[in-house]
Amino acid sequence: MSTLLVTNGTLVTDTATFAADILVRDGKIAAVGSDFQAAGVEVVDAAGKLLLPGGVDPHVHLDLPMFGTTSSDDHYTGTKAAAFGGTTTVIDFVSLPPPVPPHSGVEWGGIKGGVASWRVKAEKAAVDYSAHMNLTRFDEAIAAELPSLPGMGITTLKVFTAYNGRLRIDDGSIFKALRIARDHGMLVLLHAENGDVIDVLVAEALAAGHRTPEWHARTRPAWGAVEAALRAFALAATADAPLYLVHMNVAGEVDMLRYARERGLKVMGETCPQYLFFTDDDLRRPDGAKWLCSPPVRSAADNARLWEGLADGTIQTIGTDHCPFFFDGTKPILYEGKEIAIPGKELGAGDFTKIPNGLPGIQDRLPVLWTAGVGSGKLTANQFVALTSTNPAKIFGLYPRKGALLPGSDADIVVWDPEKKVSYGVALSHQRTDYNLYEGWELTGMPEKVFLRGRLIVDGEQWLGRAGMGEFLPRQPGAPIQ
Ligand code: URP
Ligand code: ZN
Ligand code: ZN
């Protein structure tokens, strides 16, 4: 593959900012420095621009079946949107297939079957990708299969303390999974809410005739997230295993994470943009279903505490939990010149328990965080890179191939224009849905060019990538605790 030289840019890493040229050969960074020979080399002049390592989104749900529909971005459309937002690596989720009845003739059930069918679905990705395993059942057979996961390139397990009867496993099973993970260099991810309390509150709300989206938040209390986080930290401490708290949404989780880390526990945390910007007031809007996700958006005080947790290093990463649905899936949108409509939030009109949970954000993450985080002085540019690229790459066993612009790293380079101003919204979004949470936001700072392993895939508004050019990233066990 040809050689590329990106000149005159300012490189931003997780710890430093400096002028540097980047020489790329065969899709990898060959050297970082100055005075490289440009003869016979394609040159990209990045004067006045920043050079960032491609974003790593550690938490996305592509083509996820839910409530009789599926999340509306598949592995192609979601990864294309990711690229337009400056993200070149995503980590999706493998689901466990239903148990295989004996003598059914089905060759692969369980973990192996789940990974095999996810690999087929994910082949059309346009940026590089990996997956976590959703551990939504636990028995002797599943426990016996878990150690084979790293051999399939998957080193992380997500467990749930909510979604009773669907995704939740009991505390004893979480404890056993933590010990297996510890013994095989794997990491457990936790969705922290109190499933029992949610079930009681939902039944009471429905009996009382409450049907609107705000009741989604009112039946999923913040204290449930706080106690479930502390409970899981205690299980992790007892198992002497690492744990990563996904989609932190409430101030008390930040306090619990800080408390646990100060005591030397190997625990880490992730939040998502929706928990930094939105509140349950948004759920009370006429189009409140657009903001409905689990865990729910909380209060302005929670937003503020999460920002503090990012700035002071208590929280390690910002993912998206990208899980989009149409707001009105009866009305088609144009996607790549063709009409498409996918059933979405309207499925729950008149009953908040039937609204598909989740919202879009895979493309929005870097642009909104740059403006609202770096632009406002809440985060430095280096913290921005650490939280959205380097830390997730380290925690999930992808560093320094991803999350860095070092010699030998993949040449996933974002040429970032810190001065570019846009009025953001669905018209600029490639997320395959009919709305954008940041409609009308005035943003300053956008990706100008995005390279995936040295290939230009986004040039301004032009899409140069294609389905299937993303590579599966097998991850190594034993990734460092951050
Ligand atoms: O509402 C959300 N976040 N849907 C995705 C599933 C999850 O728990 O992350
Ligand atoms: Zn979750
Ligand atoms: Zn999720």
Side-chain angles (χ1 to χ4, degrees):
M1 201 198 282
S2 63
T3 308
L4 170 75
L5 181 60
V6 185
T7 58
N8 300 320
T10 299
L11 205 155
V12 184
T13 76
D14 58 330
T15 54
T17 304
F18 52 94
D21 296 346
I22 300 179
L23 187 66
V24 174
R25 198 173 291 126
D26 296 332
K28 300 269 184 198
I29 309 279
V32 176
S34 57
D35 300 328
F36 297 121
Q37 281 301 323
V41 167
E42 184 193 339
V43 177
V44 171
D45 185 358
K49 308 291 187 294
L50 305 175
L51 304 176
L52 315 179
V56 176
D57 190 337
H59 188 154
V60 307
H61 300 278
L62 302 172
D63 204 358
L64 176 75
M66 192 193 297
F67 295 6
T69 184
T70 53
S71 61
S72 59
D73 265 324
D74 64 22
H75 292 82
Y76 169 62
T77 65
T79 52
K80 173 181 173 184
F84 271 101
T87 290
T88 50
T89 299
V90 301
I91 312 185
D92 186 32
F93 289 81
V94 172
S95 301
L96 274 177
V100 177
H103 316 300
S104 63
V106 177
E107 198 185 335
W108 285 349
I111 284 174
K112 201 171 176 191
V115 174
S117 44
W118 173 82
R119 286 291 302 266
V120 171
K121 281 204 311 179
E123 264 173 5
K124 55 180 179 280
V127 304
D128 291 354
Y129 59 97
S130 184
H132 311 289
M133 178 89 223
N134 262 338
L135 192 61
T136 52
R137 286 201 311 278
F138 193 85
D139 55 29
E140 291 309 310
I142 296 281
E145 268 200 277
L146 285 177
S148 67
L149 266 176
M152 299 178 221
I154 296 176
T155 56
T156 39
L157 309 168
K158 183 178 178 193
V159 297
F160 300 79
T161 57
Y163 302 117
N164 289 7
R166 207 156 59 85
L167 307 178
R168 180 180 176 184
I169 59 173
D170 61 56
D171 289 354
S173 299
I174 292 176
F175 181 58
K176 286 183 187 169
L178 280 159
R179 290 199 302 203
I180 296 170
R182 172 201 65 198
D183 291 344
H184 295 87
M186 299 166 78
L187 174 65
V188 172
L189 281 52
L190 177 85
H191 175 121
E193 291 187 282
N194 188 310
D196 293 342
V197 171
I198 290 168
D199 278 2
V200 171
L201 293 177
V202 167
E204 287 174 0
L206 291 178
H210 300 303
R211 295 285 189 274
T212 54
E214 78 166 290
W215 283 88
H216 179 75
R218 293 181 74 155
T219 55
R220 305 185 85 95
W223 277 111
V226 179
E227 74 78 18
L230 182 61
R231 182 167 22 124
F233 294 161
L235 295 176
T238 311
D240 190 24
L243 187 106
Y244 175 97
L245 183 58
V246 292
H247 44 48
M248 291 173 63
N249 53 95
V250 59
E253 285 181 312
V254 186
D255 298 336
M256 292 304 107
L257 182 60
R258 193 179 174 97
Y259 174 86
R261 285 173 68 86
E262 281 172 356
R263 277 151 190 80
L265 269 58
K266 294 175 271 191
V267 292
M268 299 168 279
E270 161 202 281
T271 189
C272 311
Q274 54 271 29
Y275 302 117
L276 299 169
F277 299 120
F278 302 114
T279 69
D280 49 8
D281 281 346
D282 293 296
L283 288 167
R284 282 188 274 277
R285 296 163 46 135
D287 57 351
K290 290 177 180 173
W291 280 266
L292 189 142
C293 58
S294 291
V297 290
R298 304 287 187 185
S299 70
D302 292 304
N303 301 159
R305 184 75 186 94
L306 288 158
W307 276 113
E308 274 174 24
L310 292 170
D312 71 14
T314 303
I315 300 172
Q316 286 63 51
T317 72
I318 307 175
T320 59
D321 201 2
H322 177 76
C323 188
F325 295 93
F326 277 50
F327 176 61
D328 183 353
T330 65
K331 297 201 180 84
I333 60 166
L334 266 189
Y335 185 86
E336 293 192 342
K338 292 202 189 99
E339 287 201 339
I340 181 158
I342 301 171
K345 304 275 185 181
E346 78 286 353
L347 295 173
D351 182 350
F352 70 91
T353 65
K354 296 193 167 53
I355 302 172
N357 291 196
L359 37 79
I362 203 166
Q363 177 179 347
D364 314 326
R365 180 180 67 139
L366 299 188
V368 298
L369 287 170
W370 184 272
T371 294
V374 182
S376 73
K378 287 192 177 97
L379 299 176
T380 66
N382 308 104
Q383 285 175 312
F384 171 88
V385 168
L387 289 160
T388 59
S389 176
T390 310
N391 288 353
K394 286 182 174 170
I395 291 168
F396 295 111
L398 295 167
Y399 185 86
R401 177 171 175 189
K402 302 295 186 186
L405 294 176
L406 293 168
S409 298
D410 280 357
D412 297 346
I413 305 170
V414 179
V415 178
W416 188 269
D417 183 349
E419 308 298 336
K420 170 102 175 172
K421 291 189 187 305
V422 298
S423 189
Y424 200 61
V426 75
L428 283 184
S429 173
H430 296 268
Q431 295 162 166
R432 193 169 63 174
T433 180
D434 57 352
Y435 74 99
N436 188 281
L437 294 175
Y438 307 95
E439 198 62 49
W441 283 35
E442 300 299 328
L443 302 184
T444 304
M446 292 292 285
E448 182 183 274
K449 292 183 193 300
V450 178
F451 294 87
L452 175 72
R453 284 177 273 105
R455 291 190 209 180
L456 186 60
I457 57 170
V458 172
D459 193 3
E461 264 309 296
Q462 219 189 335
W463 175 236
L464 302 171
R466 58 173 172 75
M469 71 186 291
E471 281 184 3
F472 172 64
L473 299 167
R475 295 183 287 120
Q476 296 300 317
I481 313 299
Q482 293 299 301

